[in-house]
Amino acid sequence: MSLPKLGFIGIGRMGMPMARRLIQAGYAVTAFDPNEEAVKSLVKEGATGAANPAEVATNSDVILLSLPTPEIVDAVAFGENGIVYGGDSGSQKTVIDLSTTGPQGAKALAEGLLSKGIKSIDCPVSGGVGGAEKGTLALMASGDPSVVESVTDVLKVLGNSFLVGPEPGMGQMIKVINNLVSVTALAITSEALVLGTKAGLDPDVMVDVFNASSGQSNASMTKIPKFVLTRSFDFGFALDLSVKDARLCLEQSEALGVPMVVGSAVREMLKITKAKLGPQADMTSIIQPIEEWAGIEVRGANAKPENS
């Protein structure tokens, strides 16, 4: 049985390693991104470059999207030279949206594509750039189970897939909930470290204690020791995207009448950090405004020199 021809739109920090893994797995991949240098880099690894999303669709059976915002996903799908204007490659096309766009965006995308005879899967991912490189992402797929089943082999190249529900938007719902839980753990652990450091505790020891007891989280296990205590702040997820994900989650909580007091406070902390440090600052820098207010800096034993 021949492998489906794949398209990949969005060759960024997440898209590049995912597309690379698909090429290495033997798939023919046609790629597009406004960043021509990113596409050229992927072409050197075996991809075929395309001039626009329509050309990707023309040459693909399955099109994967890894894009930053709902507006860009909408433009790629339905805008000028969008996916829906791609010619027929001989089989019905399927779009797998790996982006985080929120439930309403996923539903609108699915309905618009279906009106053009294109199947779709709502499939946001979690695991960061490291997970994309290693093929260990969590993929939260929702949509027609038979359509999800038809692309299982493609998803397996990227990580572990979960069928979270039969309706478009259900994958997005669990993704934005997951992201708010994740950044909440990062925010409270950051506050705790500033408090403990000002009280005279060693931040490295604090993290060791958290990780051996009930304070353990992904933040304390990974983000804090690797990207905060080292003062590198380069986890690879921009504050602008984290603010967007929190907004998408809280919009749903408000629509469903579920108060999220803690989540709302974390969104405000993200917005404060973004205002101070800029939209492209790393999400792990959420500790820096807290440090400024407290008049102390949290540095681990392996921190970069202060003037580096």
Side-chain angles (χ1 to χ4, degrees), residues 122-164:
D122 167 27
C123 190
V125 304
S126 182
V129 175
E133 292 171 343
K134 297 173 187 174
T136 58
L137 294 170
L139 299 104
M140 307 162 209
S142 67
D144 184 331
S146 65
V147 179
V148 176
E149 177 64 27
S150 71
V151 296
T152 295
D153 288 343
V154 174
L155 299 180
K156 283 181 179 177
V157 176
L158 305 179
N160 302 311
S161 63
F162 300 86
L163 179 59
V164 301

Short mmCIF file of all heavy atoms in Angstrom, two decimals, residues 122-164:
data_model
loop_
_atom_site.label_atom_id
_atom_site.label_comp_id
_atom_site.label_asym_id
_atom_site.label_seq_id
_atom_site.Cartn_x
_atom_site.Cartn_y
_atom_site.Cartn_z
N ASP A 122 -9.37 17.94 13.86
CA ASP A 122 -8.91 18.91 14.85
C ASP A 122 -7.90 18.18 15.73
O ASP A 122 -8.26 17.25 16.45
CB ASP A 122 -10.13 19.39 15.64
CG ASP A 122 -9.77 20.15 16.90
OD1 ASP A 122 -8.69 20.75 16.94
OD2 ASP A 122 -10.61 20.15 17.82
N CYS A 123 -6.61 18.58 15.66
CA CYS A 123 -5.58 17.77 16.33
C CYS A 123 -4.45 18.63 16.90
O CYS A 123 -3.31 18.54 16.44
CB CYS A 123 -5.02 16.75 15.34
SG CYS A 123 -3.96 15.50 16.10
N PRO A 124 -4.74 19.47 17.90
CA PRO A 124 -3.66 20.24 18.51
C PRO A 124 -2.67 19.32 19.22
O PRO A 124 -3.00 18.18 19.56
CB PRO A 124 -4.40 21.14 19.51
CG PRO A 124 -5.66 20.40 19.81
CD PRO A 124 -6.04 19.70 18.55
N VAL A 125 -1.48 19.84 19.43
CA VAL A 125 -0.40 19.02 20.00
C VAL A 125 0.18 19.69 21.24
O VAL A 125 0.07 20.89 21.44
CB VAL A 125 0.73 18.79 18.97
CG1 VAL A 125 0.18 18.17 17.70
CG2 VAL A 125 1.47 20.08 18.65
N SER A 126 0.81 18.87 22.08
CA SER A 126 1.51 19.37 23.26
C SER A 126 2.80 18.59 23.42
O SER A 126 2.86 17.41 23.08
CB SER A 126 0.63 19.20 24.51
OG SER A 126 1.27 19.73 25.65
N GLY A 127 3.82 19.28 23.92
CA GLY A 127 5.11 18.62 24.12
C GLY A 127 6.29 19.48 23.72
O GLY A 127 7.43 19.10 23.94
N GLY A 128 6.00 20.64 23.13
CA GLY A 128 7.06 21.58 22.82
C GLY A 128 7.96 21.14 21.68
O GLY A 128 7.75 20.09 21.05
N VAL A 129 8.97 21.96 21.43
CA VAL A 129 9.90 21.69 20.33
C VAL A 129 10.63 20.36 20.56
O VAL A 129 10.83 19.58 19.62
CB VAL A 129 10.90 22.85 20.19
CG1 VAL A 129 11.96 22.51 19.13
CG2 VAL A 129 10.18 24.14 19.82
N GLY A 130 10.98 20.08 21.81
CA GLY A 130 11.67 18.82 22.11
C GLY A 130 10.82 17.62 21.74
O GLY A 130 11.31 16.64 21.17
N GLY A 131 9.53 17.68 22.05
CA GLY A 131 8.63 16.59 21.69
C GLY A 131 8.46 16.45 20.19
O GLY A 131 8.35 15.34 19.67
N ALA A 132 8.45 17.59 19.49
CA ALA A 132 8.35 17.55 18.03
C ALA A 132 9.59 16.91 17.41
O ALA A 132 9.50 16.14 16.45
CB ALA A 132 8.15 18.97 17.48
N GLU A 133 10.74 17.20 17.97
CA GLU A 133 11.98 16.64 17.45
C GLU A 133 12.08 15.14 17.72
O GLU A 133 12.54 14.38 16.86
CB GLU A 133 13.17 17.35 18.08
CG GLU A 133 13.32 18.80 17.65
CD GLU A 133 14.37 19.56 18.43
OE1 GLU A 133 14.78 19.08 19.52
OE2 GLU A 133 14.78 20.64 17.98
N LYS A 134 11.62 14.72 18.89
CA LYS A 134 11.76 13.31 19.29
C LYS A 134 10.58 12.44 18.85
O LYS A 134 10.65 11.21 18.95
CB LYS A 134 11.89 13.23 20.81
CG LYS A 134 13.13 13.91 21.37
CD LYS A 134 13.09 13.94 22.89
CE LYS A 134 14.23 14.75 23.47
NZ LYS A 134 14.13 14.90 24.94
N GLY A 135 9.50 13.06 18.37
CA GLY A 135 8.32 12.28 18.01
C GLY A 135 7.55 11.80 19.21
O GLY A 135 6.95 10.72 19.18
N THR A 136 7.54 12.60 20.28
CA THR A 136 6.85 12.21 21.51
C THR A 136 5.72 13.17 21.87
O THR A 136 5.32 13.26 23.03
CB THR A 136 7.85 12.14 22.68
OG1 THR A 136 8.49 13.42 22.84
CG2 THR A 136 8.91 11.07 22.44
N LEU A 137 5.21 13.90 20.90
CA LEU A 137 4.12 14.83 21.16
C LEU A 137 2.86 14.08 21.60
O LEU A 137 2.65 12.92 21.24
CB LEU A 137 3.80 15.64 19.90
CG LEU A 137 4.87 16.61 19.40
CD1 LEU A 137 4.50 17.14 18.03
CD2 LEU A 137 5.06 17.76 20.39
N ALA A 138 2.03 14.77 22.37
CA ALA A 138 0.67 14.29 22.62
C ALA A 138 -0.23 14.97 21.60
O ALA A 138 -0.26 16.20 21.51
CB ALA A 138 0.23 14.65 24.04
N LEU A 139 -0.93 14.16 20.80
CA LEU A 139 -1.80 14.69 19.75
C LEU A 139 -3.25 14.44 20.15
O LEU A 139 -3.66 13.29 20.37
CB LEU A 139 -1.49 14.02 18.41
CG LEU A 139 -0.06 14.22 17.89
CD1 LEU A 139 0.76 12.96 18.10
CD2 LEU A 139 -0.06 14.61 16.43
N MET A 140 -4.02 15.52 20.27
CA MET A 140 -5.38 15.45 20.81
C MET A 140 -6.38 15.53 19.66
O MET A 140 -6.88 16.60 19.33
CB MET A 140 -5.58 16.58 21.81
CG MET A 140 -4.49 16.58 22.88
SD MET A 140 -4.38 18.16 23.75
CE MET A 140 -2.64 18.18 24.21
N ALA A 141 -6.66 14.39 19.04
CA ALA A 141 -7.46 14.37 17.82
C ALA A 141 -8.94 14.31 18.12
O ALA A 141 -9.38 13.56 19.00
CB ALA A 141 -7.05 13.17 16.95
N SER A 142 -9.70 15.08 17.37
CA SER A 142 -11.16 14.97 17.43
C SER A 142 -11.74 15.11 16.03
O SER A 142 -11.15 15.76 15.16
CB SER A 142 -11.76 16.00 18.39
OG SER A 142 -11.59 17.32 17.91
N GLY A 143 -12.89 14.50 15.83
CA GLY A 143 -13.53 14.47 14.53
C GLY A 143 -14.06 13.08 14.25
O GLY A 143 -14.08 12.22 15.14
N ASP A 144 -14.50 12.86 13.03
CA ASP A 144 -15.02 11.56 12.63
C ASP A 144 -13.99 10.48 12.92
O ASP A 144 -12.87 10.52 12.39
CB ASP A 144 -15.33 11.60 11.13
CG ASP A 144 -15.98 10.32 10.62
OD1 ASP A 144 -15.72 9.24 11.18
OD2 ASP A 144 -16.74 10.40 9.64
N PRO A 145 -14.32 9.50 13.78
CA PRO A 145 -13.33 8.47 14.15
C PRO A 145 -12.74 7.73 12.95
O PRO A 145 -11.56 7.36 12.97
CB PRO A 145 -14.12 7.52 15.06
CG PRO A 145 -15.20 8.38 15.65
CD PRO A 145 -15.57 9.34 14.57
N SER A 146 -13.54 7.53 11.90
CA SER A 146 -13.02 6.83 10.72
C SER A 146 -11.98 7.66 9.99
O SER A 146 -11.01 7.12 9.42
CB SER A 146 -14.15 6.46 9.77
OG SER A 146 -14.77 7.61 9.22
N VAL A 147 -12.15 8.98 10.01
CA VAL A 147 -11.17 9.86 9.37
C VAL A 147 -9.88 9.88 10.19
O VAL A 147 -8.78 9.81 9.65
CB VAL A 147 -11.74 11.28 9.20
CG1 VAL A 147 -10.69 12.20 8.57
CG2 VAL A 147 -12.99 11.27 8.35
N VAL A 148 -10.03 9.95 11.51
CA VAL A 148 -8.84 9.89 12.39
C VAL A 148 -8.09 8.58 12.17
O VAL A 148 -6.87 8.57 12.05
CB VAL A 148 -9.24 10.05 13.86
CG1 VAL A 148 -8.02 9.90 14.76
CG2 VAL A 148 -9.91 11.40 14.11
N GLU A 149 -8.83 7.49 12.09
CA GLU A 149 -8.21 6.18 11.89
C GLU A 149 -7.43 6.14 10.58
O GLU A 149 -6.36 5.51 10.49
CB GLU A 149 -9.28 5.09 11.90
CG GLU A 149 -8.77 3.68 11.63
CD GLU A 149 -7.82 3.17 12.69
OE1 GLU A 149 -7.92 3.63 13.85
OE2 GLU A 149 -6.97 2.32 12.37
N SER A 150 -7.93 6.82 9.55
CA SER A 150 -7.29 6.78 8.24
C SER A 150 -5.91 7.43 8.22
O SER A 150 -5.12 7.18 7.32
CB SER A 150 -8.19 7.45 7.19
OG SER A 150 -8.23 8.86 7.36
N VAL A 151 -5.62 8.29 9.21
CA VAL A 151 -4.32 8.96 9.24
C VAL A 151 -3.51 8.58 10.47
O VAL A 151 -2.53 9.24 10.82
CB VAL A 151 -4.48 10.50 9.18
CG1 VAL A 151 -5.10 10.93 7.85
CG2 VAL A 151 -5.29 11.02 10.36
N THR A 152 -3.88 7.47 11.10
CA THR A 152 -3.19 7.04 12.32
C THR A 152 -1.70 6.87 12.10
O THR A 152 -0.88 7.25 12.95
CB THR A 152 -3.80 5.73 12.85
OG1 THR A 152 -5.16 5.97 13.24
CG2 THR A 152 -3.03 5.21 14.05
N ASP A 153 -1.31 6.29 10.97
CA ASP A 153 0.11 6.06 10.73
C ASP A 153 0.88 7.36 10.62
O ASP A 153 2.04 7.45 11.06
CB ASP A 153 0.29 5.23 9.45
CG ASP A 153 -0.12 3.78 9.63
OD1 ASP A 153 -0.25 3.33 10.78
OD2 ASP A 153 -0.34 3.10 8.61
N VAL A 154 0.26 8.40 10.05
CA VAL A 154 0.90 9.71 9.97
C VAL A 154 1.09 10.29 11.37
O VAL A 154 2.17 10.76 11.73
CB VAL A 154 0.07 10.67 9.10
CG1 VAL A 154 0.68 12.08 9.14
CG2 VAL A 154 -0.02 10.17 7.67
N LEU A 155 0.05 10.21 12.18
CA LEU A 155 0.12 10.76 13.53
C LEU A 155 1.16 10.05 14.39
O LEU A 155 1.82 10.66 15.22
CB LEU A 155 -1.26 10.69 14.20
CG LEU A 155 -2.39 11.48 13.52
CD1 LEU A 155 -3.69 11.32 14.29
CD2 LEU A 155 -2.02 12.95 13.37
N LYS A 156 1.29 8.73 14.19
CA LYS A 156 2.26 7.96 14.97
C LYS A 156 3.69 8.45 14.78
O LYS A 156 4.52 8.32 15.68
CB LYS A 156 2.18 6.48 14.60
CG LYS A 156 0.99 5.75 15.20
CD LYS A 156 1.00 4.27 14.79
CE LYS A 156 -0.16 3.51 15.41
NZ LYS A 156 -0.20 2.09 14.97
N VAL A 157 3.98 9.01 13.62
CA VAL A 157 5.33 9.53 13.38
C VAL A 157 5.62 10.72 14.29
O VAL A 157 6.76 10.97 14.67
CB VAL A 157 5.48 9.94 11.89
CG1 VAL A 157 6.84 10.59 11.64
CG2 VAL A 157 5.30 8.74 10.98
N LEU A 158 4.56 11.43 14.66
CA LEU A 158 4.72 12.66 15.44
C LEU A 158 4.64 12.44 16.94
O LEU A 158 5.13 13.25 17.72
CB LEU A 158 3.66 13.68 15.01
CG LEU A 158 3.61 14.01 13.51
CD1 LEU A 158 2.50 15.00 13.22
CD2 LEU A 158 4.95 14.54 13.03
N GLY A 159 3.98 11.35 17.36
CA GLY A 159 3.86 11.10 18.79
C GLY A 159 2.72 10.18 19.13
O GLY A 159 2.36 9.30 18.34
N ASN A 160 2.13 10.38 20.30
CA ASN A 160 1.04 9.55 20.78
C ASN A 160 -0.28 10.27 20.58
O ASN A 160 -0.49 11.36 21.13
CB ASN A 160 1.23 9.25 22.28
CG ASN A 160 2.56 8.56 22.54
OD1 ASN A 160 2.91 7.60 21.88
ND2 ASN A 160 3.31 9.08 23.51
N SER A 161 -1.19 9.66 19.82
CA SER A 161 -2.45 10.33 19.53
C SER A 161 -3.56 9.80 20.43
O SER A 161 -3.60 8.62 20.78
CB SER A 161 -2.83 10.16 18.05
OG SER A 161 -3.03 8.81 17.73
N PHE A 162 -4.47 10.70 20.78
CA PHE A 162 -5.63 10.38 21.61
C PHE A 162 -6.87 10.84 20.86
O PHE A 162 -6.95 12.01 20.45
CB PHE A 162 -5.56 11.10 22.95
CG PHE A 162 -4.34 10.76 23.77
CD1 PHE A 162 -3.15 11.45 23.57
CD2 PHE A 162 -4.38 9.76 24.72
CE1 PHE A 162 -2.02 11.15 24.33
CE2 PHE A 162 -3.26 9.45 25.48
CZ PHE A 162 -2.08 10.14 25.28
N LEU A 163 -7.84 9.95 20.67
CA LEU A 163 -9.12 10.35 20.11
C LEU A 163 -9.95 10.88 21.27
O LEU A 163 -10.47 10.11 22.08
CB LEU A 163 -9.81 9.17 19.42
CG LEU A 163 -11.19 9.48 18.82
CD1 LEU A 163 -11.09 10.59 17.79
CD2 LEU A 163 -11.79 8.22 18.19
N VAL A 164 -10.07 12.19 21.37
CA VAL A 164 -10.73 12.79 22.54
C VAL A 164 -12.22 13.04 22.34
O VAL A 164 -12.92 13.34 23.30
CB VAL A 164 -10.02 14.10 22.95
CG1 VAL A 164 -8.57 13.84 23.27
CG2 VAL A 164 -10.15 15.16 21.87
#
